[in-house]
Amino acid sequence: MSAKNMEKVEQATNRKNISLPMSRVRLIMKSSPDVSCINQDALFLTTKATELFVQHLALSSYKNGSGKETNTLSYSDLANAAEESETFQFLTDILPKKILAREYLKSLEEMEKDADNL
C-alpha cells in the first residue's frame, strides 16, 4: 500500500465523521429480529466499522486487481478478492464471478447429463 493510501486510511480512521448514512445502517440493524433497540454509540461504531471494512475490501481489491493502469476498480476485482482471499471468502455468495449466459446454460446441460448418467 502506498504512503498516500495509508495516509487516507489513517485520516478516515481518526475522523469522527462518517460517510455512510447512519439511518440506513440503523434500518439494516433493525431488520434483525434479535435487535430491539440500538444505542447511539453502537450505531456509530457499527457504521464506522462498516465504512472501514468497505474501504479495506476496496483497497485490497484494487491492489490485487486489473485496474491499476487505468486507476479503476471493477466488479471482477471485488469478485476475485472474495474468491482468492481467505479474509473475504464469506463474500463469495454475494460477489460471485460473472459468467456469460451461454456458459451457464452449457454448465446446466452438463449437470443434467451427469445426473442422467447416474
Side-chain angles (χ1 to χ4, degrees), residues 1 5 17 37 48 54 62-63 72 104 108 111:
M1 191 180 307
N5 286 342
N17 61 346
C37 67
K48 192 63 177 178
V54 170
Y62 176 78
K63 187 174 80 173
T72 59
Y104 177 71
L108 281 179
M111 287 172 51

Side-chain angles (χ1 to χ4, degrees), residues 32-72:
S32 172
D34 299 330
V35 176
S36 57
C37 67
I38 302 167
N39 180 314
Q40 265 317 100
D41 291 337
L43 178 61
F44 174 79
L45 290 174
T46 302
T47 305
K48 192 63 177 178
T50 303
E51 196 171 282
L52 292 173
F53 171 76
V54 170
Q55 190 173 46
H56 178 64
L57 173 62
L59 286 171
S60 296
S61 300
Y62 176 78
K63 187 174 80 173
N64 299 320
S66 59
K68 286 184 195 173
E69 299 84 29
T70 58
N71 203 24
T72 59

